[in-house]
Amino acid sequence: YFPNVIVKSEHSLFNVDALEYIRSKMLNEIKGKHTTKKFPKKIFVSRKNAGKGRRYNEQEVIKFLINNNFEIVYPEQYDLLEQVELFNNASCIVGGTGAGFTNLLYCQKGCKVIIFTNYDFDISIFSSIAQHCELNCTYLYDKSITGEKKAGNIHSSYNVNILELNHLIRV
């Protein structure tokens, strides 16, 4: 049990110079590389193979996103350079919060990012990366449990509101 009341944005520290060093090194690695893989523009980062925490109505979300021309991706099935290319090529990235979103570091400026989470809590891990890379990042959280946020668990299950998601992918 890890209550979200003790998770604060000041617990996430980034050295911007280090981020930029990694970003530029990895983007240079893929520059001019001729790959046979074609990476999709609209991706859903699945947590299907992740642990038991932070479960949500993923099958309903997948069905909705497939109907809106998104492709389901599992970052762990790609090597590091492929992950860099995948995220660098994307124009819209959607998914539940998790380590896969560290790859936002490789996105192009202006990429739309929608991250699902259970609670509206004060943490800035992926939004800090998104801000540094000038991405359009939004968190979509389960508003039905926000009243519980003081006693909640950051790994508890939640529900993604499909109507809100529909609005966010269209703006």
Side-chain angles (χ1 to χ4, degrees):
Y1 179 78
F2 193 75
N4 67 26
V5 70
I6 63 172
V7 178
K8 302 288 181 198
S9 60
E10 58 267 18
H11 295 154
S12 303
L13 299 176
F14 294 96
N15 180 310
V16 176
D17 292 333
L19 286 179
E20 193 51 43
Y21 175 79
I22 294 167
R23 176 180 164 77
S24 64
K25 276 291 211 192
M26 297 308 292
L27 290 176
N28 280 335
E29 282 291 321
I30 65 166
K31 192 182 284 185
K33 182 181 173 199
H34 300 288
T35 181
T36 57
K37 286 196 176 189
K38 182 137 174 79
F39 295 102
K41 290 287 187 191
K42 295 165 66 173
I43 62 174
F44 170 70
V45 179
S46 176
R47 288 189 46 83
K48 179 181 175 186
N49 298 323
K52 295 178 184 177
R54 291 177 288 203
R55 292 287 180 207
Y56 60 92
N57 50 324
E58 187 171 35
Q59 289 309 309
E60 181 183 7
V61 169
I62 287 173
K63 183 178 177 184
F64 168 77
L65 290 173
I66 287 174
N67 287 334
N68 284 277
N69 303 311
F70 279 77
E71 290 193 35
I72 313 314
V73 298
Y74 306 91
E76 67 273 14
Q77 293 179 350
Y78 295 90
D79 68 32
L80 180 59
L81 288 179
E82 289 172 334
Q83 289 182 45
V84 173
E85 287 185 273
L86 173 69
F87 278 75
N88 185 255
N89 185 68
S91 61
C92 186
I93 302 167
V94 176
T97 185
F101 277 94
T102 303
N103 289 307
L104 293 179
L105 189 57
Y106 312 117
C107 291
Q108 293 184 37
K109 179 180 175 181
C111 179
K112 181 184 289 189
V113 179
I114 303 165
I115 303 174
F116 312 143
T117 187
N118 51 1
Y119 297 94
D120 179 22
F121 54 90
D122 181 28
I123 192 165
S124 65
I125 295 170
F126 305 119
S127 58
S128 293
I129 295 171
Q131 182 180 10
H132 174 73
C133 297
E134 299 181 55
L135 311 180
N136 178 7
C137 183
T138 303
Y139 281 86
L140 177 57
Y141 61 92
D142 189 342
K143 292 173 181 63
S144 71
I145 59 176
T146 54
E148 302 171 22
K149 75 180 188 178
K150 295 273 187 269
N153 180 331
I154 65 170
H155 297 290
S156 64
S157 297
Y158 58 97
N159 189 60
V160 173
N161 183 311
I162 300 297
L163 292 176
E164 285 185 68
L165 178 57
N166 183 46
H167 172 74
L168 289 173
I169 65 169
R170 299 192 190 307
V171 292

